[in-house]
Amino acid sequence: MAVEKSVFGKGLNGEEIMLYTLKNSKGMQACVTNLGAILVRLIVPDGQGNGADVVLGFDRAEDYFGNPSFFGAVIGPSANRIGGAAFSLDGADYALDVNDGPNNLHSHKEKGYHKKLWSAQVSQNSVTFSLEDADGNMGFPGRKKVQVTYSLDEDNALTLHYHGSSDKRTILNLTNHTYFNLDGHDSGSIEAHTLWLNASRYTPVVQGSIPTGEIAAVAGTPMDFTAEKTVGQDINEDFEQLKLTGGFDHNWVLDGWDGTLRLFAVVKGPKSGRVMKAYTTLPGVQFYAGNFIDPQTGKEGASYGKRSGLCLETQYFPDSVHHSQFPSCIFGGENGQDYDSVTVYRFE
């Protein structure tokens, strides 16, 4: 299984942006680019063997220079939100980009890892993207080295293996912001998709989507996906948490987290019958139902809009730097641990 390489477009300084295509013998394909380590296409066969692209995105590299919804991108160094766009660590104060009300979202909308050109190294049926990030860049301490490896196997599993190190203690909380639509990226709303989450708790938020610090039970609320249900079943309920975020856009606390790779979600496409099982070593997942996808033209002229895709962004909890009761996303430094995580999306 060789990895195919092709030119995907030109960078802002005229450099070539590449596309890498991973294939298996079952008809599955994953196309990733060194721009933002973005997952551009994911071709998955249905029960009849008909392949369809099940992720939202664009046909040309240049279209990703905007990408306000972060389609397919690897987010870093800090995914999700940090309250007040600032934090203190080891006696020093750090100011971040104020880009989401008074808060910081996804590190920086223009300078974040999703807009960087990563270096690429190809192996048997994987590609490893690497990035070096200067001390103080975007406000985060430490000289950071980050890698993400995409690999595709014969079990129709796409694995994302992340690794990060830093010479100073810093926030490292990486995720992938792919939007899935298992009936095909051009199939409209995902509200009829069914979802199961291995999460009996979640982190409620205040206005601006910053966690309160509470870890609350989902039982008896619309946030309960411990029994499979459609995304649309409760999304418009008269429930304060849903009103604050325009629908599902919260961090779920995964049950039994111990750092090993565990099944945390099952998604089913109603028309295609495709099933996606998701696994991670991380403690949380931001399930985002695409409530704020602006109307735009995607791949093959498809019209994308509100709830055209859903995200399962595996992560440390949002704003955990301000909540000592949350699992810590501080890594690096002289005696500190490296960041290392695995997330797998497997299709049946």
Side-chain angles (χ1 to χ4, degrees), residues 92-248:
D93 296 331
Y94 298 96
L96 308 176
D97 191 43
V98 181
N99 62 12
D100 189 57
N103 307 312
N104 175 268
L105 174 64
H106 295 332
S107 303
H108 198 292
K109 287 180 181 174
E110 294 307 321
K111 299 177 185 173
Y113 293 174
H114 67 291
K115 294 281 177 82
K116 298 280 190 214
L117 278 179
W118 300 53
S119 61
Q121 191 171 10
V122 173
S123 301
Q124 178 74 33
N125 209 31
S126 68
V127 57
T128 298
F129 296 116
S130 304
L131 197 63
E132 295 195 14
D133 189 17
D135 183 15
N137 188 33
M138 296 178 275
F140 294 92
R143 284 175 51 226
K144 296 165 283 293
K145 292 184 178 178
V146 178
Q147 284 188 332
V148 57
T149 299
Y150 286 93
S151 54
L152 179 64
D153 68 17
E154 287 295 317
D155 290 326
N156 282 0
L158 180 69
T159 297
L160 285 71
H161 181 192
Y162 304 82
H163 188 84
S165 62
S166 170
D167 64 350
K168 292 181 186 171
R169 281 179 14 112
T170 192
I171 293 175
L172 280 173
N173 188 12
L174 304 167
T175 197
N176 179 281
H177 212 302
T178 290
Y179 291 73
F180 295 96
N181 187 321
L182 298 191
D183 291 335
H185 74 98
D186 52 356
S187 296
S189 174
I190 46 77
E191 288 187 32
H193 280 50
T194 60
L195 173 66
W196 169 85
L197 287 175
N198 184 35
S200 55
R201 297 170 301 159
Y202 76 109
T203 51
V205 297
V206 296
Q207 190 76 43
S209 292
I210 300 298
T212 63
E214 181 189 5
I215 294 177
V218 299
T221 78
M223 315 303 280
D224 191 350
F225 284 90
T226 56
E228 173 189 295
K229 67 180 181 185
T230 65
V231 171
Q233 180 179 313
D234 297 328
I235 203 166
N236 298 314
E237 287 291 301
D238 184 12
F239 184 68
E240 188 198 15
Q241 285 297 311
L242 293 177
K243 289 179 176 176
L244 284 170
T245 53
F248 299 114

